[in-house]
């Protein structure tokens, strides 16, 4: 499972890089968006597997919110979305749930859960365009920081595999 966590970190890093390219280079926006979308889909699937032993239902709910964000973002990229919803709002719920699952886990440091939950709260501001614009760019920092620290942790350290196995064999 340690390798799964590191692979999730790689896909998270790809999401960050592709998302940054999308923002910096307008000409490469669609391609970068598609790469970021595919990478975040991989993160979602891998995180479901990683956090399933903590709480299967909450891990599935987190994956559901991530998929809503991914689908909303992809539809917006192709300008076919009938909804005027910023996908970051859905990622807010996702990050809150992942933060909670990290806090309940025994295989990742709790501080990562706190950072993810705080980041999730910042992404939730994007459900209100007025609130998001008033807080911009400060509402970006907690999410980027929380997800960034988790990404680096997964890449460099991964997770405590023994504790993951113990939690996976216990009741969920």
């Amino acid at each position: 499972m340690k390798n799964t966590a590191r692979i999730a970190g790689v896909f998270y890093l790809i999401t960050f890089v592709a998302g940054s390219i999308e923002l910096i280079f307008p000409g490469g926006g669609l391609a970068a968006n598609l790469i970021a979308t595919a990478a975040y889909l991989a993160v979602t699937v891998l995180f479901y597997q990683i956090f399933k032993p903590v709480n299967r239902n909450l891990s599935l709910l987190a994956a559901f919110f991530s998929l809503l964000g991914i689908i909303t973002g992809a539809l917006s990229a192709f300008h076919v979305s009938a909804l005027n919803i910023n996908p970051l709002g859905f990622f807010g719920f996702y990050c809150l749930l992942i933060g909670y699952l990290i806090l309940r886990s025994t295989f990742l440091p709790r501080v990562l859960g706190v950072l993810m939950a705080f980041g999730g709260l910042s992404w939730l501001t994007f459900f209100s365009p007025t609130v998001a614009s008033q807080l911009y760019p400060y509402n970006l920092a907690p999410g980027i920081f929380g997800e960034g620290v988790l990404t680096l942790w997964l890449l460099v350290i991964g997770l405590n595999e023994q504790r993951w196995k113990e939690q996976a064999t216990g009741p969920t």
Side-chain angles (χ1 to χ4, degrees):
M1 191 49 63
K2 193 170 200 165
N3 286 336
T4 302
R6 288 211 167 121
I7 292 167
V10 168
F11 280 112
Y12 230 148
L13 181 62
I14 291 169
T15 302
F16 270 101
V17 171
S20 298
I21 289 170
E22 178 185 1
L23 293 173
I24 295 169
F25 302 108
L30 183 59
N33 184 298
L34 292 175
I35 292 168
T37 298
Y40 212 80
L41 181 59
V43 170
T44 300
V45 170
L46 294 169
F47 272 19
Y48 171 72
Q49 293 173 347
I50 290 168
F51 293 108
K52 189 168 50 169
V54 179
N55 186 311
R56 181 184 308 266
N57 292 333
L58 286 181
S59 187
L60 185 60
L61 184 61
F64 173 75
F65 278 114
S66 181
L67 290 175
L68 282 176
I70 289 168
I71 291 167
T72 304
L75 291 174
S76 295
F78 288 106
H79 307 289
V80 293
S81 177
L83 303 172
N84 191 21
I85 297 175
N86 190 317
L88 288 176
F90 292 116
F91 294 125
F93 285 119
Y94 177 67
C95 289
L96 276 171
L97 288 166
I98 294 298
Y100 177 78
L101 290 167
I102 292 172
L103 286 168
R104 296 292 313 252
S105 78
T106 58
F107 48 83
L108 286 170
R110 291 178 184 240
V111 68
L112 295 175
V114 171
L115 292 174
M116 284 295 286
F118 190 54
L121 291 174
S122 75
W123 294 140
L124 287 177
T125 65
F126 286 90
F127 272 134
S128 169
T130 304
V131 172
S133 66
Q134 289 175 346
L135 294 176
Y136 186 84
Y138 306 107
N139 54 347
L140 296 175
I144 292 169
F145 184 73
E147 290 187 81
V149 170
L150 178 58
T151 298
L152 291 175
W153 185 275
L154 292 173
L155 285 170
V156 175
I157 297 175
L159 54 74
N160 185 319
E161 193 162 16
Q162 179 182 346
R163 287 188 181 166
W164 184 89
K165 286 178 183 177
E166 289 169 3
Q167 198 158 17
T169 57
T172 55

